[in-house]
Amino acid sequence: MNTGNQSKKFIPLEELGVISSKTDIWVQTQVRNLTCNSSKISVILNCSVKYSKPNIASMERSAGNLFLSLDEPKDNKSVIYEIRWRERGSEWQNATFETKENTYKDLYTLHLHNRTVYQIQLRRQAKLHSLQCNDSHSLWSDWSALTDIPLEIHIPPVLHLDEKVWSNGTRDIKITWAATSAEETIGGVTYNMNLSVWSCGKPKRIQLSTLNQTFDISVTYSNASISIIATNKVGRSAPKKIIIPPVKHRNECVTFTNITKAKKRCLEWYKMEDGEILPNSVKKSKDKLIKHIKNEVQKFVRHYYILHIFSKQHQTAEMCPFYSIEGAPIKGPGGVNTTDLTHESVVLNWRHIPMAEQRGFLKHYIIWISGHGKTKLHKVPADKTSFLIKNLHPGTSYTISIAGKTIAGKGPNTTVNTETHSKEKGLSWQDQTILSVCVVAFLCTFICSFAARRFKRKLCPVVPSPVVDAAEFIYPQDQDLSQITEEVHEFVLLLRQELNKSTENVAPGQSTILQNFGLVVFEEEEEEGEEGEVTDLSFMKSCFYPNPSYRGKTLQLPENFHLTDSPIKDNDTESTYRNGLFFETKVQECDKTSL
């Protein structure tokens, strides 16, 4: 009777007794008064072992070799393995190998192409030693899960740092890096970081997953170190270590926060030479105070201390340079020379005294200028490396000396000799400056004027030419329209206010317009003996008085020339064209008409 239900029971071989001989195995079950037995199976248990599928404990890929570490069966006996591998999408390749007994791990080396991604699977079976198992076939385990073999990581991560310094003694550091290649990321990548951000503590280790390629951390003003290693299924990259340098050293003591509520303290101090930290000289202490370390350091040597605290976060509380005892400098400034020499001034240049030779904090530099029977003294701030000496005499030799001074006194002098130019030689630096300013001003004026003209031409419209209104002309039908050469004569038509003279002598061919107007044409005399008499103009009142040297002539007008009866206003004009002559009548302000 088969109910369809199945069950399993694991029985240690040791409980079964003899396993090297043939054994009958059956299952018996009882329900109430009914007993049921299964059919019997005769087996030699030692010859019918089936192992669980193998598990890859670890693997490492290097130089074309894949080193596999497999979990060993619980009986610690030798095992036969079958391994198959392939490139993605290609056919399987197979190989078998045998392991030794009583080993901690089963190891195997598979030769692969160096820059190719592979897939592998393994299975195993027991190695039969009994003579009774000659006719038996041991059972293969199931295949292990399909495993992708990525490439090894050759290049360590490239780190980028972004720093933001706060005024409370902390800095925010943002660390970013690019992901490894797709072939190296198969199966996942983890990043192991070691951070040393607390001077008096052990490095802090952080493990990040492949999904995170950024990391933010807050550090003190002191130096900090970060190292990172990328790890995948077949190995790890070389470590990448970077040092976060400390903030710029101050020339004076600075306090950033209160230290009374600090839970932890860390004091570090070190020797400085030319502003640099000597790595071997850094010392740290959780218990010592500042007054204690000042008695321990070397005399006349500049040191620097940084006090860190921890309350809610790591932060720097104080930074300060110090000497245990100060002395005078043992060397003068180097590289002393003069430049920009004129007849009345010179520039003195020098290099700072090296820090190791200052033996104290420089208060200032002292400069002596001797010449022309006088000696002058100047004090220059300690951070300067040049000084302009003015009000010198032309063509005079000077001796210039410079020395550094600390609270303990001044050091040795460094001397240089120079001679000013004669006054006639060249221009002084003040004159050169004024000339340069004038030239620049002239060029700017010229350029601005040129630009303004160009801008005005673009901005203002072009003034159009005056348009003369076309007058209405009456052409007779029989007028000869052939091209003729016109002669242009200028004349003045004067309105006669008092018509005392009679017009009876006017020729019949002349127009009656001459009865109301005294029309006189004044032309320049060409010959002294020309016939005709000069007309007396004393009886006329006109706005324009002609030159007496002109000879008056009576103008004979066309027969059809006439004046309109329309009222004429000041400065009104009327035009008439006749026989190639154009007449324009205009009333002037003084009521005289000119033609």
Side-chain angles (χ1 to χ4, degrees):
M1 180 178 177
N2 188 0
T3 60
N5 296 328
Q6 295 182 359
S7 62
K8 293 181 179 181
K9 177 66 175 179
F10 294 94
I11 303 174
L13 295 180
E14 292 79 3
E15 297 180 3
L16 298 179
V18 180
I19 61 173
S20 58
S21 58
K22 185 174 291 187
T23 305
D24 294 333
I25 300 176
W26 72 94
V27 178
Q28 185 181 70
T29 183
Q30 185 174 357
V31 180
R32 295 180 183 179
N33 296 328
L34 181 63
T35 301
C36 297
N37 294 323
S38 67
S39 59
K40 294 181 180 181
I41 300 176
S42 297
V43 296
I44 301 175
L45 295 177
N46 198 29
C47 299
S48 301
V49 176
K50 181 179 179 180
Y51 289 131
S52 61
K53 60 184 178 181
N55 180 41
I56 302 176
S58 64
M59 52 185 173
E60 183 177 352
R61 189 172 183 177
S62 176
N65 295 320
L66 177 64
F67 302 96
L68 297 175
S69 177
L70 308 173
D71 63 329
E72 191 177 47
K74 294 182 180 180
D75 57 5
N76 293 327
K77 294 184 178 180
S78 61
V79 179
I80 299 174
Y81 283 91
E82 181 181 7
I83 183 172
R84 61 181 183 180
W85 68 95
R86 67 177 180 183
E87 298 181 23
R88 286 182 171 180
S90 62
E91 296 182 355
W92 290 105
Q93 302 179 59
N94 294 66
T96 58
F97 62 93
E98 184 177 333
T99 61
K100 297 180 180 180
E101 295 183 356
N102 300 319
T103 57
Y104 175 70
K105 295 289 183 182
D106 290 339
L107 304 177
Y108 181 70
T109 301
L110 179 65
H111 300 285
L112 302 173
H113 293 295
N114 192 26
R115 303 302 296 174
T116 305
V117 176
Y118 286 91
Q119 294 176 322
I120 65 170
Q121 281 185 307
L122 296 102
R123 65 177 181 174
R124 58 190 172 185
Q125 66 176 181
K127 184 177 180 181
L128 303 180
H129 299 281
S130 176
L131 296 176
Q132 300 174 349
C133 300
N134 289 337
D135 297 332
S136 302
H137 298 282
S138 61
L139 302 177
W140 282 103
S141 69
D142 296 333
W143 285 102
S144 65
L146 186 65
T147 303
D148 292 315
I149 309 300
L151 302 182
E152 56 181 323
I153 302 176
H154 288 280
I155 301 175
V158 179
L159 303 182
H160 301 278
L161 298 181
D162 291 327
E163 179 187 45
K164 186 172 184 179
V165 180
W166 300 98
S167 60
N168 62 349
T170 62
R171 293 180 291 170
D172 287 342
I173 305 296
K174 185 179 184 63
I175 308 170
T176 59
W177 60 90
T180 57
S181 65
E183 292 80 6
E184 298 172 346
T185 313
I186 294 174
V189 175
T190 58
Y191 297 94
N192 299 316
M193 300 184 65
N194 289 334
L195 305 176
S196 178
V197 298
W198 180 247
S199 300
C200 298
K202 295 181 179 180
K204 181 180 180 181
R205 295 183 179 180
I206 299 176
Q207 184 170 337
L208 304 176
S209 67
T210 186
L211 298 178
N212 295 324
Q213 294 170 8
T214 62
F215 184 73
D216 298 327
I217 191 171
S218 178
V219 300
T220 64
Y221 281 0
S222 183
N223 63 328
S225 63
I226 298 175
S227 64
I228 183 171
I229 299 174
T231 305
N232 64 1
K233 294 170 62 175
V234 296
R236 57 176 56 190
S237 68
K240 179 66 175 181
K241 184 177 182 180
I242 58 173
I243 301 297
I244 303 174
V247 298
K248 185 177 180 180
H249 290 93
R250 309 295 182 93
N251 294 325
E252 69 284 341
C253 296
V254 182
T255 300
F256 302 104
T257 186
N258 190 358
I259 63 175
T260 57
K261 297 182 180 180
K263 298 179 181 179
K264 293 191 299 183
R265 292 164 50 96
C266 178
L267 181 64
E268 61 177 331
W269 66 97
Y270 40 82
K271 180 181 176 180
M272 296 184 63
E273 288 188 2
D274 292 331
E276 299 296 330
I277 303 174
L278 298 180
N280 297 329
S281 66
V282 178
K283 298 180 180 180
K284 306 171 185 178
S285 175
K286 298 180 181 179
D287 305 319
K288 289 185 178 182
L289 301 178
I290 298 172
K291 63 181 181 180
H292 297 152
I293 65 174
K294 286 186 176 181
N295 298 327
E296 298 178 1
V297 299
Q298 185 179 354
K299 297 180 180 179
F300 311 121
V301 176
R302 183 177 298 186
H303 288 74
Y304 206 90
Y305 77 79
I306 304 178
L307 177 61
H308 309 294
I309 63 171
F310 178 80
S311 55
K312 295 182 179 180
Q313 59 180 346
H314 297 100
Q315 60 186 133
T316 299
E318 292 180 6
M319 298 177 65
C320 187
F322 70 96
Y323 286 89
S324 60
I325 297 177
E326 292 189 62
I330 60 174
K331 189 177 180 180
V336 179
N337 63 84
T338 57
T339 57
D340 299 335
L341 184 65
T342 67
H343 67 280
E344 62 178 1
S345 65
V346 66
V347 176
L348 182 67
N349 306 284
W350 66 90
R351 293 194 302 270
H352 285 301
I353 302 174
M355 185 177 294
E357 298 169 349
Q358 292 180 12
R359 296 168 60 88
F361 296 108
L362 282 181
K363 299 181 66 177
H364 51 257
Y365 289 102
I366 303 176
I367 299 176
W368 295 269
I369 304 101
S370 300
H372 203 67
K374 298 180 180 180
T375 299
K376 295 182 180 180
L377 183 145
H378 297 278
K379 293 182 180 181
V380 181
D383 60 341
K384 300 296 183 181
T385 57
S386 64
F387 180 70
L388 174 62
I389 304 173
K390 300 184 291 185
N391 301 324
L392 303 179
H393 293 276
T396 304
S397 298
Y398 287 91
T399 300
I400 305 174
S401 301
I402 181 172
K405 187 177 185 303
T406 66
I407 193 172
K410 73 177 188 64
N413 300 340
T414 304
T415 303
V416 65
N417 297 316
T418 187
E419 183 177 353
T420 56
H421 296 315
S422 300
K423 193 171 184 179
E424 294 79 10
K425 185 177 180 180
L427 299 175
S428 65
W429 68 272
Q430 296 95 334
D431 297 335
Q432 293 178 4
T433 303
I434 295 174
L435 181 60
S436 301
V437 171
C438 293
V439 171
V440 172
F442 173 76
L443 292 177
C444 292
T445 304
F446 177 77
I447 294 173
C448 294
S449 176
F450 180 76
R453 291 181 180 179
R454 295 290 301 271
F455 179 74
K456 184 177 180 181
R457 291 178 182 177
K458 294 182 179 181
L459 184 63
C460 301
V462 180
V463 179
S465 302
V467 179
V468 180
D469 295 336
E472 182 181 359
F473 301 106
I474 303 174
Y475 296 93
Q477 296 181 355
D478 58 349
Q479 182 176 356
D480 186 7
L481 299 180
S482 62
Q483 182 177 3
I484 60 175
T485 302
E486 296 183 352
E487 296 182 4
V488 179
H489 299 274
E490 294 184 357
F491 57 90
V492 178
L493 179 63
L494 304 177
L495 177 63
R496 183 178 301 173
Q497 298 289 346
E498 296 178 2
L499 302 177
N500 295 329
K501 291 189 177 184
S502 175
T503 60
E504 296 176 356
N505 296 329
V506 178
Q510 296 176 346
S511 172
T512 57
I513 190 174
L514 300 180
Q515 298 177 6
N516 298 323
F517 294 87
L519 185 61
V520 180
V521 177
F522 299 95
E523 297 181 354
E524 187 177 0
E525 292 182 352
E526 297 179 357
E527 297 180 1
E528 295 181 357
E530 186 177 356
E531 296 181 358
E533 298 179 357
V534 177
T535 306
D536 185 8
L537 301 175
S538 59
F539 63 91
M540 298 182 183
K541 294 181 180 180
S542 174
C543 295
F544 307 95
Y545 292 94
N547 193 310
S549 65
Y550 282 44
R551 175 175 298 176
K553 291 184 180 181
T554 302
L555 178 65
Q556 184 175 353
L557 300 177
E559 294 180 359
N560 295 336
F561 180 82
H562 63 276
L563 295 176
T564 60
D565 297 333
S566 61
I568 300 177
K569 299 180 181 180
D570 291 348
N571 295 328
D572 285 352
T573 60
E574 183 178 359
S575 303
T576 305
Y577 187 89
R578 181 67 174 177
N579 292 337
L581 296 178
F582 178 76
F583 296 92
E584 180 177 284
T585 304
K586 183 176 181 181
V587 178
Q588 302 292 343
E589 293 179 357
C590 55
D591 294 333
K592 303 298 185 295
T593 302
S594 63
L595 186 62

